[in-house]
Amino acid sequence: MVIIIGIISGIVTSLGLGGGAVLIIGLTLLLGIEQRIAQSVNLIFFIPTAITAIILNSKRKIIKWKTAIPVIIASGISAGIGANFATQIETTTLKKLFGGFLGIIAIYEIYTLIKNKKSKNIS
């Protein structure tokens, strides 16, 4: 089951869709792993997938480094703050925050889909 979750997460990540959410959901719901541990596994999972994406996209010359470097720095600082915050709150609160985050993403994606569909119908 762990290998299947990893494969699905890798495929979703390679499409740029955030395989970490799939990984965390799979680990917590299917395997019963605690939320904090699942999120930690997700962070470790991210390292080789990110390195692979950087190598492939650098070879294709499609990374805008002037944009990427400030984002990398800000993300690194924010990740440290977020990780510290996540270790200090209760697991139930962490689950609610993660669920809320996924809900917001879902609403945004549905809104974008409807908006794009309407704009195609108008054209």
Side-chain angles (χ1 to χ4, degrees), residues 86-106:
T87 60
Q88 300 195 17
I89 60 174
E90 292 188 31
T91 302
T92 54
T93 304
L94 189 60
K95 286 181 179 182
K96 289 176 185 175
L97 289 171
F98 183 68
F101 173 73
L102 291 179
I104 291 168
I105 298 298

Side-chain angles (χ1 to χ4, degrees), residues 75-85:
S75 298
I77 293 168
S78 300
I81 294 167
N84 187 44
F85 175 70

Side-chain angles (χ1 to χ4, degrees), residues 7-99:
I7 290 170
I8 293 169
S9 297
I11 292 168
V12 172
T13 298
S14 70
L15 298 172
L17 301 173
V22 172
L23 182 64
I24 293 170
I25 291 168
L27 293 175
T28 56
L29 294 180
L30 299 177
L31 300 179
I33 294 175
E34 183 186 335
Q35 182 85 21
R36 280 186 232 282
I37 294 170
Q39 286 182 220
S40 298
V41 170
N42 176 54
L43 294 174
I44 294 169
F45 163 83
F46 184 74
I47 294 168
T49 57
I51 290 170
T52 302
I54 290 168
I55 291 168
L56 293 174
N57 289 318
S58 288
K59 286 182 179 180
R60 294 181 188 128
K61 300 183 191 277
I62 58 175
I63 295 177
K64 295 183 180 181
W65 288 105
K66 286 184 180 180
T67 303
I69 290 174
V71 171
I72 292 167
I73 293 168
S75 298
I77 293 168
S78 300
I81 294 167
N84 187 44
F85 175 70
T87 60
Q88 300 195 17
I89 60 174
E90 292 188 31
T91 302
T92 54
T93 304
L94 189 60
K95 286 181 179 182
K96 289 176 185 175
L97 289 171
F98 183 68

